[in-house]
Amino acid sequence: MAETTPDAAASDTPGQALTRQALTAAALRILERDGLAGLSMRKVAAEVGVKAASLYWHVRNKEELLDLLSDALVADAELPPREGSWRDQFLEYGRRHRALLLARRDAAKVVAGRLAPGPHILAVLEDQLDRLRAAGFSDADAAMASYLLSAYVQGFVLQEQSPLSAAEAAGATRGEAARAAGETFRTLPAETYPNLVALADDLTDPDMETRFEFGLQRLADGLAALLPA
Amino acid sequence: MAETTPDAAASDTPGQALTRQALTAAALRILERDGLAGLSMRKVAAEVGVKAASLYWHVRNKEELLDLLSDALVADAELPPREGSWRDQFLEYGRRHRALLLARRDAAKVVAGRLAPGPHILAVLEDQLDRLRAAGFSDADAAMASYLLSAYVQGFVLQEQSPLSAAEAAGATRGEAARAAGETFRTLPAETYPNLVALADDLTDPDMETRFEFGLQRLADGLAALLPA
DNA sequence: CAACGGCCCCTAACACCGTTAGGGGCTATC
DNA sequence: GATAGCCCCTAACGGTGTTAGGGGCCGTTG
């Protein structure tokens, strides 16, 4: 009957046939396997057992598929527990956001510069704003703080998730690549780059956890200064 | 014949043969004209008056060309004056970094996630570290602060430089797109998204200058807390 | 002088890519 | 039974990055 049509209004009805959800899931699988550069419409089609042209019945563009993908990437986000100080909750938000992006291959590249707020993204944003306002931030500050956090996390993970050097893509571990990069800095001409030489180890420290945490703490400190006592 | 060829607008450096520099300059021109998506090896080749396959004599990959490009993008960076507090210099660094990226079309997308330190990038980093250490930051903190700033700026500009919506790409100005986005937020179901509805204007404020400045000040505040009095 | 070897560009081709046009079979409704 | 809409198909267009192999030019060398 007519009421079974999975049409526009309830776009996320779980269909058993070929739905936008199924396409998104297939794209997610290919992203994990081949990376963003290896994600093509033809492969997505093959993954769902269909020819490439058929995808355009369900999706306007590859861009639209990527929009769906970017929302799906945050689909299984778990919100931090609503306890403790606003600061702890803020920090935890940043950590989980980073963890979410790191969990999927090339996730940062997919999300980067894609302002396509799907339902999952909206839900997270809504919750985040709610906590910031409850903490005492003004409306404008809450909005900006949320934007600030996501800009930092995306910028950070984007660099973190990209190969440190051409050598890394070819088998070398992160630690080895970092050591190689450190060597590069250390052997620079010391008269023109004294600081790079001196800080070679600090600059190429492969411990991304503490590096991320450093920035996160600075952000939280900076925001805390906006609140009254 | 070959060296004085009236070859249209092809060669820009009179007398010089085809160098990596010339390739980079040509790529930069095409980037400005057609954006990153429209930057192809064939177009770069045509721009310098050559066929595509010839580029591979000078450059290993398109990736390597993009590495060169990302360094060239910061080639004309002017360092902030060495006066005033470390804080002012830090802020000015952030502003100029952003301005530099904004000045060239798709610059943020080119640089994003590309850790290819060319000579220009190294020079800026060297200077930045020097000032941070002079301000009293420890070696490790200086290195992390520098990383933090660039992660924020890149993340911010990446979002700023990408079209706010599909509508914006088609002619609409930033302000109009922002108004449309605000309308989208404002008409969301208020019972599930009360904060998004309430903060619709704050979330879609098109004034990127103050939004960027907000984050920058928070960063500076957070870093200031690391220093002794 | 002639031969060599490097530099630098060429043509041709491969294996892809996103996207569109147009066609056809299936199914549910009138 | 006819009709309309959904959903997939084949075929093709105009691109993409990249490689193989060939061939002039030119300075050096025997």
Side-chain angles (χ1 to χ4, degrees), chain A residues 1-2 40-42 53 56 61-62:
Chain A
M1 297 291 286
S40 74
M41 297 298 265
R42 282 170 165 89
Y56 291 83
N61 288 5
K62 187 180 185 180

Side-chain angles (χ1 to χ4, degrees), chain A residues 151-229:
Chain A
Y152 169 62
V153 175
Q154 283 193 29
F156 189 96
V157 180
L158 197 61
Q159 306 235 24
E160 182 177 12
Q161 217 169 29
S162 71
L164 218 169
S165 66
E168 183 180 352
T173 73
R174 192 91 196 180
E176 294 166 359
R179 277 185 52 136
E183 195 56 28
T184 302
F185 279 134
R186 211 173 295 108
T187 57
L188 246 33
E191 61 274 12
T192 47
Y193 302 113
N195 291 284
L196 292 182
V197 173
L199 302 193
D201 288 339
D202 299 293
L203 288 167
T204 58
D205 186 346
D207 183 357
M208 287 294 165
E209 238 76 24
T210 69
R211 211 188 281 213
F212 177 75
E213 195 71 21
F214 174 88
L216 206 53
Q217 298 284 349
R218 276 349 106 212
L219 253 56
D221 286 351
L223 290 172
L226 287 178
L227 292 177

